[in-house]
Amino acid sequence: MNEGNKIGKAKAALKKALSELRPSDTFDILNFDARVSLYSPTMLSGTPENIEKAMDYVQAIRLNHHTNVSAAMETALSLENISHIFLMSDGEPETGIRDFTRLRAFIKEHNPKHVKILTLALGLGENFIGIDLLKGIAEDNDGQFAYINLARP
């Protein structure tokens, strides 16, 4: 996520999404590398105060190594009262389940509540290793896939 400032683009996209929340919306932020960190132990309402604090949290996120998509999705899917998950990643798991077929099956198995999973791929160029994984996760879980080509000016 360092290459091409993927992490900076992910932060900008997350801040934009946060800024569009209404007070009746709820949210949480899950940051992952080899470990998974939750912003809040419970879902938060989209109040201006909660949004401001969440923006500060997003800005403070530091990039570490060893992306663990399986642990992140297992944690996200265990949260109470969620209807949607937005997964932003370069789609290249470095630890946990790394095989794309097994990872897709693992996520689907851990999604008995049929939470919609929307994926945002952050890549350098039109083709990169994780694009098929992120497309598949969205497809398997009634979500949508979007792509940001960071190689474009």
Side-chain angles (χ1 to χ4, degrees), residues 112-146:
K113 295 182 242 174
H114 305 287
V115 173
K116 291 185 184 295
I117 301 175
L118 299 93
T119 58
L120 177 59
L122 303 168
L124 297 169
E126 291 301 322
N127 295 306
F128 65 96
I129 294 170
I131 200 163
D132 289 332
L133 172 63
L134 294 169
K135 281 181 184 178
I137 291 170
E139 181 180 296
D140 294 344
N141 296 279
D142 299 319
Q144 294 178 356
F145 168 81

PDB file of all heavy atoms in Angstrom, residues 112-146:
ATOM      1  N   PRO A 112     -23.091 -15.478   7.171  1.00  0.00           N
ATOM      2  CA  PRO A 112     -24.434 -16.076   7.157  1.00  0.00           C
ATOM      3  C   PRO A 112     -25.554 -15.035   7.193  1.00  0.00           C
ATOM      4  O   PRO A 112     -26.690 -15.341   6.830  1.00  0.00           O
ATOM      5  CB  PRO A 112     -24.452 -16.957   8.414  1.00  0.00           C
ATOM      6  CG  PRO A 112     -23.491 -16.295   9.335  1.00  0.00           C
ATOM      7  CD  PRO A 112     -22.400 -15.747   8.427  1.00  0.00           C
ATOM      8  N   LYS A 113     -25.242 -13.806   7.624  1.00  0.00           N
ATOM      9  CA  LYS A 113     -26.261 -12.741   7.681  1.00  0.00           C
ATOM     10  C   LYS A 113     -26.405 -12.028   6.328  1.00  0.00           C
ATOM     11  O   LYS A 113     -27.186 -11.096   6.197  1.00  0.00           O
ATOM     12  CB  LYS A 113     -25.911 -11.729   8.769  1.00  0.00           C
ATOM     13  CG  LYS A 113     -25.937 -12.307  10.176  1.00  0.00           C
ATOM     14  CD  LYS A 113     -25.618 -11.237  11.197  1.00  0.00           C
ATOM     15  CE  LYS A 113     -24.363 -11.611  11.932  1.00  0.00           C
ATOM     16  NZ  LYS A 113     -23.887 -10.598  12.844  1.00  0.00           N
ATOM     17  N   HIS A 114     -25.618 -12.449   5.345  1.00  0.00           N
ATOM     18  CA  HIS A 114     -25.656 -11.885   3.990  1.00  0.00           C
ATOM     19  C   HIS A 114     -25.398 -10.374   3.980  1.00  0.00           C
ATOM     20  O   HIS A 114     -26.098  -9.606   3.317  1.00  0.00           O
ATOM     21  CB  HIS A 114     -26.972 -12.226   3.285  1.00  0.00           C
ATOM     22  CG  HIS A 114     -27.232 -13.698   3.251  1.00  0.00           C
ATOM     23  ND1 HIS A 114     -26.535 -14.553   2.428  1.00  0.00           N
ATOM     24  CD2 HIS A 114     -28.064 -14.480   3.979  1.00  0.00           C
ATOM     25  CE1 HIS A 114     -26.942 -15.783   2.632  1.00  0.00           C
ATOM     26  NE2 HIS A 114     -27.872 -15.777   3.578  1.00  0.00           N
ATOM     27  N   VAL A 115     -24.371  -9.976   4.719  1.00  0.00           N
ATOM     28  CA  VAL A 115     -23.920  -8.582   4.708  1.00  0.00           C
ATOM     29  C   VAL A 115     -23.383  -8.282   3.306  1.00  0.00           C
ATOM     30  O   VAL A 115     -22.631  -9.078   2.739  1.00  0.00           O
ATOM     31  CB  VAL A 115     -22.813  -8.372   5.771  1.00  0.00           C
ATOM     32  CG1 VAL A 115     -22.201  -6.995   5.661  1.00  0.00           C
ATOM     33  CG2 VAL A 115     -23.358  -8.638   7.164  1.00  0.00           C
ATOM     34  N   LYS A 116     -23.786  -7.154   2.743  1.00  0.00           N
ATOM     35  CA  LYS A 116     -23.276  -6.761   1.431  1.00  0.00           C
ATOM     36  C   LYS A 116     -21.833  -6.283   1.595  1.00  0.00           C
ATOM     37  O   LYS A 116     -21.546  -5.465   2.455  1.00  0.00           O
ATOM     38  CB  LYS A 116     -24.119  -5.645   0.834  1.00  0.00           C
ATOM     39  CG  LYS A 116     -25.509  -6.091   0.438  1.00  0.00           C
ATOM     40  CD  LYS A 116     -26.240  -4.956  -0.248  1.00  0.00           C
ATOM     41  CE  LYS A 116     -27.658  -5.306  -0.566  1.00  0.00           C
ATOM     42  NZ  LYS A 116     -27.852  -6.362  -1.510  1.00  0.00           N
ATOM     43  N   ILE A 117     -20.955  -6.824   0.758  1.00  0.00           N
ATOM     44  CA  ILE A 117     -19.545  -6.432   0.813  1.00  0.00           C
ATOM     45  C   ILE A 117     -19.202  -5.717  -0.481  1.00  0.00           C
ATOM     46  O   ILE A 117     -19.258  -6.295  -1.565  1.00  0.00           O
ATOM     47  CB  ILE A 117     -18.629  -7.648   1.040  1.00  0.00           C
ATOM     48  CG1 ILE A 117     -19.001  -8.352   2.351  1.00  0.00           C
ATOM     49  CG2 ILE A 117     -17.163  -7.198   1.046  1.00  0.00           C
ATOM     50  CD1 ILE A 117     -18.233  -9.631   2.612  1.00  0.00           C
ATOM     51  N   LEU A 118     -18.875  -4.437  -0.342  1.00  0.00           N
ATOM     52  CA  LEU A 118     -18.474  -3.616  -1.470  1.00  0.00           C
ATOM     53  C   LEU A 118     -16.960  -3.483  -1.417  1.00  0.00           C
ATOM     54  O   LEU A 118     -16.396  -3.230  -0.344  1.00  0.00           O
ATOM     55  CB  LEU A 118     -19.146  -2.243  -1.390  1.00  0.00           C
ATOM     56  CG  LEU A 118     -20.673  -2.329  -1.438  1.00  0.00           C
ATOM     57  CD1 LEU A 118     -21.242  -2.384  -0.044  1.00  0.00           C
ATOM     58  CD2 LEU A 118     -21.236  -1.192  -2.215  1.00  0.00           C
ATOM     59  N   THR A 119     -16.314  -3.657  -2.544  1.00  0.00           N
ATOM     60  CA  THR A 119     -14.864  -3.616  -2.553  1.00  0.00           C
ATOM     61  C   THR A 119     -14.358  -2.462  -3.409  1.00  0.00           C
ATOM     62  O   THR A 119     -14.935  -2.138  -4.446  1.00  0.00           O
ATOM     63  CB  THR A 119     -14.269  -4.943  -3.076  1.00  0.00           C
ATOM     64  OG1 THR A 119     -14.750  -5.201  -4.391  1.00  0.00           O
ATOM     65  CG2 THR A 119     -14.632  -6.103  -2.151  1.00  0.00           C
ATOM     66  N   LEU A 120     -13.296  -1.849  -2.945  1.00  0.00           N
ATOM     67  CA  LEU A 120     -12.625  -0.784  -3.673  1.00  0.00           C
ATOM     68  C   LEU A 120     -11.170  -1.197  -3.835  1.00  0.00           C
ATOM     69  O   LEU A 120     -10.428  -1.289  -2.855  1.00  0.00           O
ATOM     70  CB  LEU A 120     -12.710   0.550  -2.920  1.00  0.00           C
ATOM     71  CG  LEU A 120     -11.979   1.726  -3.545  1.00  0.00           C
ATOM     72  CD1 LEU A 120     -12.496   2.021  -4.949  1.00  0.00           C
ATOM     73  CD2 LEU A 120     -12.096   2.954  -2.664  1.00  0.00           C
ATOM     74  N   ALA A 121     -10.804  -1.491  -5.058  1.00  0.00           N
ATOM     75  CA  ALA A 121      -9.444  -1.934  -5.362  1.00  0.00           C
ATOM     76  C   ALA A 121      -8.568  -0.729  -5.635  1.00  0.00           C
ATOM     77  O   ALA A 121      -8.946   0.163  -6.391  1.00  0.00           O
ATOM     78  CB  ALA A 121      -9.458  -2.858  -6.574  1.00  0.00           C
ATOM     79  N   LEU A 122      -7.407  -0.718  -5.027  1.00  0.00           N
ATOM     80  CA  LEU A 122      -6.433   0.351  -5.226  1.00  0.00           C
ATOM     81  C   LEU A 122      -5.214  -0.267  -5.916  1.00  0.00           C
ATOM     82  O   LEU A 122      -4.492  -1.047  -5.310  1.00  0.00           O
ATOM     83  CB  LEU A 122      -6.027   0.950  -3.877  1.00  0.00           C
ATOM     84  CG  LEU A 122      -7.183   1.488  -3.033  1.00  0.00           C
ATOM     85  CD1 LEU A 122      -6.717   1.787  -1.627  1.00  0.00           C
ATOM     86  CD2 LEU A 122      -7.789   2.709  -3.683  1.00  0.00           C
ATOM     87  N   GLY A 123      -5.027   0.049  -7.193  1.00  0.00           N
ATOM     88  CA  GLY A 123      -3.945  -0.578  -7.939  1.00  0.00           C
ATOM     89  C   GLY A 123      -3.176   0.398  -8.802  1.00  0.00           C
ATOM     90  O   GLY A 123      -3.590   1.532  -9.025  1.00  0.00           O
ATOM     91  N   LEU A 124      -2.054  -0.085  -9.289  1.00  0.00           N
ATOM     92  CA  LEU A 124      -1.200   0.699 -10.187  1.00  0.00           C
ATOM     93  C   LEU A 124      -1.267   0.052 -11.564  1.00  0.00           C
ATOM     94  O   LEU A 124      -0.581  -0.911 -11.845  1.00  0.00           O
ATOM     95  CB  LEU A 124       0.241   0.721  -9.679  1.00  0.00           C
ATOM     96  CG  LEU A 124       0.436   1.379  -8.321  1.00  0.00           C
ATOM     97  CD1 LEU A 124       1.830   1.126  -7.779  1.00  0.00           C
ATOM     98  CD2 LEU A 124       0.172   2.878  -8.428  1.00  0.00           C
ATOM     99  N   GLY A 125      -2.139   0.551 -12.419  1.00  0.00           N
ATOM    100  CA  GLY A 125      -2.338  -0.037 -13.735  1.00  0.00           C
ATOM    101  C   GLY A 125      -3.641  -0.807 -13.778  1.00  0.00           C
ATOM    102  O   GLY A 125      -4.280  -1.039 -12.751  1.00  0.00           O
ATOM    103  N   GLU A 126      -4.029  -1.199 -14.964  1.00  0.00           N
ATOM    104  CA  GLU A 126      -5.326  -1.862 -15.155  1.00  0.00           C
ATOM    105  C   GLU A 126      -5.348  -3.290 -14.626  1.00  0.00           C
ATOM    106  O   GLU A 126      -6.404  -3.818 -14.314  1.00  0.00           O
ATOM    107  CB  GLU A 126      -5.716  -1.840 -16.634  1.00  0.00           C
ATOM    108  CG  GLU A 126      -6.041  -0.449 -17.137  1.00  0.00           C
ATOM    109  CD  GLU A 126      -7.188   0.212 -16.383  1.00  0.00           C
ATOM    110  OE1 GLU A 126      -8.161  -0.475 -16.028  1.00  0.00           O
ATOM    111  OE2 GLU A 126      -7.107   1.431 -16.142  1.00  0.00           O
ATOM    112  N   ASN A 127      -4.226  -3.945 -14.574  1.00  0.00           N
ATOM    113  CA  ASN A 127      -4.177  -5.327 -14.101  1.00  0.00           C
ATOM    114  C   ASN A 127      -3.194  -5.425 -12.951  1.00  0.00           C
ATOM    115  O   ASN A 127      -2.057  -4.977 -13.060  1.00  0.00           O
ATOM    116  CB  ASN A 127      -3.728  -6.263 -15.230  1.00  0.00           C
ATOM    117  CG  ASN A 127      -4.735  -6.296 -16.359  1.00  0.00           C
ATOM    118  OD1 ASN A 127      -5.906  -6.560 -16.128  1.00  0.00           O
ATOM    119  ND2 ASN A 127      -4.286  -6.015 -17.573  1.00  0.00           N
ATOM    120  N   PHE A 128      -3.665  -6.005 -11.858  1.00  0.00           N
ATOM    121  CA  PHE A 128      -2.767  -6.265 -10.744  1.00  0.00           C
ATOM    122  C   PHE A 128      -3.242  -7.519 -10.039  1.00  0.00           C
ATOM    123  O   PHE A 128      -4.375  -7.966 -10.227  1.00  0.00           O
ATOM    124  CB  PHE A 128      -2.636  -5.060  -9.800  1.00  0.00           C
ATOM    125  CG  PHE A 128      -3.908  -4.702  -9.073  1.00  0.00           C
ATOM    126  CD1 PHE A 128      -4.148  -5.157  -7.786  1.00  0.00           C
ATOM    127  CD2 PHE A 128      -4.858  -3.903  -9.672  1.00  0.00           C
ATOM    128  CE1 PHE A 128      -5.304  -4.821  -7.121  1.00  0.00           C
ATOM    129  CE2 PHE A 128      -6.020  -3.562  -9.019  1.00  0.00           C
ATOM    130  CZ  PHE A 128      -6.251  -4.031  -7.729  1.00  0.00           C
ATOM    131  N   ILE A 129      -2.415  -8.082  -9.226  1.00  0.00           N
ATOM    132  CA  ILE A 129      -2.656  -9.398  -8.644  1.00  0.00           C
ATOM    133  C   ILE A 129      -4.007  -9.512  -7.950  1.00  0.00           C
ATOM    134  O   ILE A 129      -4.727 -10.477  -8.148  1.00  0.00           O
ATOM    135  CB  ILE A 129      -1.520  -9.754  -7.655  1.00  0.00           C
ATOM    136  CG1 ILE A 129      -0.209  -9.925  -8.425  1.00  0.00           C
ATOM    137  CG2 ILE A 129      -1.848 -11.007  -6.873  1.00  0.00           C
ATOM    138  CD1 ILE A 129       1.013 -10.034  -7.554  1.00  0.00           C
ATOM    139  N   GLY A 130      -4.398  -8.558  -7.145  1.00  0.00           N
ATOM    140  CA  GLY A 130      -5.581  -8.703  -6.307  1.00  0.00           C
ATOM    141  C   GLY A 130      -6.900  -8.307  -6.928  1.00  0.00           C
ATOM    142  O   GLY A 130      -7.943  -8.445  -6.291  1.00  0.00           O
ATOM    143  N   ILE A 131      -6.923  -7.849  -8.173  1.00  0.00           N
ATOM    144  CA  ILE A 131      -8.168  -7.346  -8.737  1.00  0.00           C
ATOM    145  C   ILE A 131      -9.238  -8.433  -8.838  1.00  0.00           C
ATOM    146  O   ILE A 131     -10.402  -8.209  -8.528  1.00  0.00           O
ATOM    147  CB  ILE A 131      -7.931  -6.636 -10.094  1.00  0.00           C
ATOM    148  CG1 ILE A 131      -9.108  -5.714 -10.420  1.00  0.00           C
ATOM    149  CG2 ILE A 131      -7.659  -7.614 -11.208  1.00  0.00           C
ATOM    150  CD1 ILE A 131      -8.793  -4.691 -11.494  1.00  0.00           C
ATOM    151  N   ASP A 132      -8.862  -9.635  -9.241  1.00  0.00           N
ATOM    152  CA  ASP A 132      -9.841 -10.716  -9.357  1.00  0.00           C
ATOM    153  C   ASP A 132     -10.390 -11.124  -7.993  1.00  0.00           C
ATOM    154  O   ASP A 132     -11.573 -11.446  -7.871  1.00  0.00           O
ATOM    155  CB  ASP A 132      -9.233 -11.927 -10.068  1.00  0.00           C
ATOM    156  CG  ASP A 132      -8.996 -11.663 -11.551  1.00  0.00           C
ATOM    157  OD1 ASP A 132      -9.738 -10.845 -12.132  1.00  0.00           O
ATOM    158  OD2 ASP A 132      -8.084 -12.281 -12.123  1.00  0.00           O
ATOM    159  N   LEU A 133      -9.552 -11.095  -6.965  1.00  0.00           N
ATOM    160  CA  LEU A 133     -10.010 -11.414  -5.617  1.00  0.00           C
ATOM    161  C   LEU A 133     -11.068 -10.415  -5.162  1.00  0.00           C
ATOM    162  O   LEU A 133     -12.137 -10.799  -4.684  1.00  0.00           O
ATOM    163  CB  LEU A 133      -8.842 -11.416  -4.623  1.00  0.00           C
ATOM    164  CG  LEU A 133      -9.230 -11.551  -3.149  1.00  0.00           C
ATOM    165  CD1 LEU A 133      -9.905 -12.892  -2.883  1.00  0.00           C
ATOM    166  CD2 LEU A 133      -8.007 -11.361  -2.262  1.00  0.00           C
ATOM    167  N   LEU A 134     -10.800  -9.149  -5.316  1.00  0.00           N
ATOM    168  CA  LEU A 134     -11.739  -8.125  -4.855  1.00  0.00           C
ATOM    169  C   LEU A 134     -13.034  -8.135  -5.664  1.00  0.00           C
ATOM    170  O   LEU A 134     -14.116  -7.959  -5.106  1.00  0.00           O
ATOM    171  CB  LEU A 134     -11.070  -6.756  -4.858  1.00  0.00           C
ATOM    172  CG  LEU A 134      -9.927  -6.640  -3.835  1.00  0.00           C
ATOM    173  CD1 LEU A 134      -9.136  -5.362  -4.058  1.00  0.00           C
ATOM    174  CD2 LEU A 134     -10.454  -6.719  -2.424  1.00  0.00           C
ATOM    175  N   LYS A 135     -12.946  -8.376  -6.963  1.00  0.00           N
ATOM    176  CA  LYS A 135     -14.152  -8.531  -7.778  1.00  0.00           C
ATOM    177  C   LYS A 135     -14.971  -9.711  -7.269  1.00  0.00           C
ATOM    178  O   LYS A 135     -16.194  -9.633  -7.137  1.00  0.00           O
ATOM    179  CB  LYS A 135     -13.794  -8.762  -9.243  1.00  0.00           C
ATOM    180  CG  LYS A 135     -13.417  -7.540 -10.005  1.00  0.00           C
ATOM    181  CD  LYS A 135     -13.108  -7.927 -11.456  1.00  0.00           C
ATOM    182  CE  LYS A 135     -12.620  -6.746 -12.247  1.00  0.00           C
ATOM    183  NZ  LYS A 135     -12.268  -7.129 -13.633  1.00  0.00           N
ATOM    184  N   GLY A 136     -14.297 -10.819  -6.991  1.00  0.00           N
ATOM    185  CA  GLY A 136     -14.970 -12.032  -6.554  1.00  0.00           C
ATOM    186  C   GLY A 136     -15.636 -11.885  -5.196  1.00  0.00           C
ATOM    187  O   GLY A 136     -16.750 -12.385  -4.988  1.00  0.00           O
ATOM    188  N   ILE A 137     -14.974 -11.215  -4.265  1.00  0.00           N
ATOM    189  CA  ILE A 137     -15.558 -10.997  -2.936  1.00  0.00           C
ATOM    190  C   ILE A 137     -16.854 -10.202  -3.066  1.00  0.00           C
ATOM    191  O   ILE A 137     -17.862 -10.541  -2.451  1.00  0.00           O
ATOM    192  CB  ILE A 137     -14.556 -10.301  -1.992  1.00  0.00           C
ATOM    193  CG1 ILE A 137     -13.398 -11.236  -1.645  1.00  0.00           C
ATOM    194  CG2 ILE A 137     -15.257  -9.812  -0.716  1.00  0.00           C
ATOM    195  CD1 ILE A 137     -12.235 -10.559  -0.917  1.00  0.00           C
ATOM    196  N   ALA A 138     -16.837  -9.149  -3.867  1.00  0.00           N
ATOM    197  CA  ALA A 138     -18.047  -8.344  -4.072  1.00  0.00           C
ATOM    198  C   ALA A 138     -19.138  -9.192  -4.734  1.00  0.00           C
ATOM    199  O   ALA A 138     -20.295  -9.186  -4.299  1.00  0.00           O
ATOM    200  CB  ALA A 138     -17.732  -7.115  -4.915  1.00  0.00           C
ATOM    201  N   GLU A 139     -18.782  -9.922  -5.754  1.00  0.00           N
ATOM    202  CA  GLU A 139     -19.752 -10.754  -6.476  1.00  0.00           C
ATOM    203  C   GLU A 139     -20.362 -11.820  -5.558  1.00  0.00           C
ATOM    204  O   GLU A 139     -21.574 -12.042  -5.580  1.00  0.00           O
ATOM    205  CB  GLU A 139     -19.045 -11.428  -7.656  1.00  0.00           C
ATOM    206  CG  GLU A 139     -19.930 -12.305  -8.499  1.00  0.00           C
ATOM    207  CD  GLU A 139     -19.130 -12.934  -9.636  1.00  0.00           C
ATOM    208  OE1 GLU A 139     -18.633 -12.169 -10.492  1.00  0.00           O
ATOM    209  OE2 GLU A 139     -19.010 -14.164  -9.650  1.00  0.00           O
ATOM    210  N   ASP A 140     -19.544 -12.472  -4.764  1.00  0.00           N
ATOM    211  CA  ASP A 140     -20.005 -13.540  -3.870  1.00  0.00           C
ATOM    212  C   ASP A 140     -20.937 -13.039  -2.778  1.00  0.00           C
ATOM    213  O   ASP A 140     -21.684 -13.820  -2.192  1.00  0.00           O
ATOM    214  CB  ASP A 140     -18.819 -14.214  -3.169  1.00  0.00           C
ATOM    215  CG  ASP A 140     -17.897 -14.963  -4.102  1.00  0.00           C
ATOM    216  OD1 ASP A 140     -18.290 -15.235  -5.254  1.00  0.00           O
ATOM    217  OD2 ASP A 140     -16.764 -15.272  -3.678  1.00  0.00           O
ATOM    218  N   ASN A 141     -20.864 -11.749  -2.458  1.00  0.00           N
ATOM    219  CA  ASN A 141     -21.572 -11.209  -1.297  1.00  0.00           C
ATOM    220  C   ASN A 141     -22.507 -10.064  -1.651  1.00  0.00           C
ATOM    221  O   ASN A 141     -22.690  -9.137  -0.870  1.00  0.00           O
ATOM    222  CB  ASN A 141     -20.543 -10.790  -0.234  1.00  0.00           C
ATOM    223  CG  ASN A 141     -19.757 -11.979   0.276  1.00  0.00           C
ATOM    224  OD1 ASN A 141     -20.236 -12.706   1.132  1.00  0.00           O
ATOM    225  ND2 ASN A 141     -18.571 -12.205  -0.268  1.00  0.00           N
ATOM    226  N   ASP A 142     -23.119 -10.145  -2.824  1.00  0.00           N
ATOM    227  CA  ASP A 142     -24.128  -9.187  -3.279  1.00  0.00           C
ATOM    228  C   ASP A 142     -23.677  -7.735  -3.188  1.00  0.00           C
ATOM    229  O   ASP A 142     -24.472  -6.838  -2.938  1.00  0.00           O
ATOM    230  CB  ASP A 142     -25.438  -9.355  -2.494  1.00  0.00           C
ATOM    231  CG  ASP A 142     -26.035 -10.736  -2.674  1.00  0.00           C
ATOM    232  OD1 ASP A 142     -26.014 -11.235  -3.808  1.00  0.00           O
ATOM    233  OD2 ASP A 142     -26.490 -11.314  -1.678  1.00  0.00           O
ATOM    234  N   GLY A 143     -22.372  -7.520  -3.378  1.00  0.00           N
ATOM    235  CA  GLY A 143     -21.836  -6.169  -3.292  1.00  0.00           C
ATOM    236  C   GLY A 143     -21.529  -5.598  -4.652  1.00  0.00           C
ATOM    237  O   GLY A 143     -22.021  -6.069  -5.682  1.00  0.00           O
ATOM    238  N   GLN A 144     -20.716  -4.585  -4.652  1.00  0.00           N
ATOM    239  CA  GLN A 144     -20.272  -3.942  -5.876  1.00  0.00           C
ATOM    240  C   GLN A 144     -18.760  -3.801  -5.811  1.00  0.00           C
ATOM    241  O   GLN A 144     -18.173  -3.734  -4.729  1.00  0.00           O
ATOM    242  CB  GLN A 144     -20.900  -2.562  -6.030  1.00  0.00           C
ATOM    243  CG  GLN A 144     -22.389  -2.613  -6.219  1.00  0.00           C
ATOM    244  CD  GLN A 144     -22.992  -1.212  -6.323  1.00  0.00           C
ATOM    245  OE1 GLN A 144     -22.313  -0.206  -6.185  1.00  0.00           O
ATOM    246  NE2 GLN A 144     -24.282  -1.155  -6.555  1.00  0.00           N
ATOM    247  N   PHE A 145     -18.148  -3.740  -6.967  1.00  0.00           N
ATOM    248  CA  PHE A 145     -16.709  -3.592  -7.100  1.00  0.00           C
ATOM    249  C   PHE A 145     -16.419  -2.261  -7.762  1.00  0.00           C
ATOM    250  O   PHE A 145     -17.100  -1.869  -8.710  1.00  0.00           O
ATOM    251  CB  PHE A 145     -16.145  -4.734  -7.951  1.00  0.00           C
ATOM    252  CG  PHE A 145     -14.721  -4.518  -8.396  1.00  0.00           C
ATOM    253  CD1 PHE A 145     -13.680  -4.800  -7.538  1.00  0.00           C
ATOM    254  CD2 PHE A 145     -14.443  -4.013  -9.657  1.00  0.00           C
ATOM    255  CE1 PHE A 145     -12.366  -4.582  -7.942  1.00  0.00           C
ATOM    256  CE2 PHE A 145     -13.145  -3.800 -10.059  1.00  0.00           C
ATOM    257  CZ  PHE A 145     -12.095  -4.092  -9.204  1.00  0.00           C
ATOM    258  N   ALA A 146     -15.416  -1.552  -7.258  1.00  0.00           N
ATOM    259  CA  ALA A 146     -14.937  -0.326  -7.892  1.00  0.00           C
ATOM    260  C   ALA A 146     -13.416  -0.369  -7.891  1.00  0.00           C
ATOM    261  O   ALA A 146     -12.803  -1.047  -7.072  1.00  0.00           O
ATOM    262  CB  ALA A 146     -15.437   0.908  -7.158  1.00  0.00           C
TER     263      ALA A 146
END
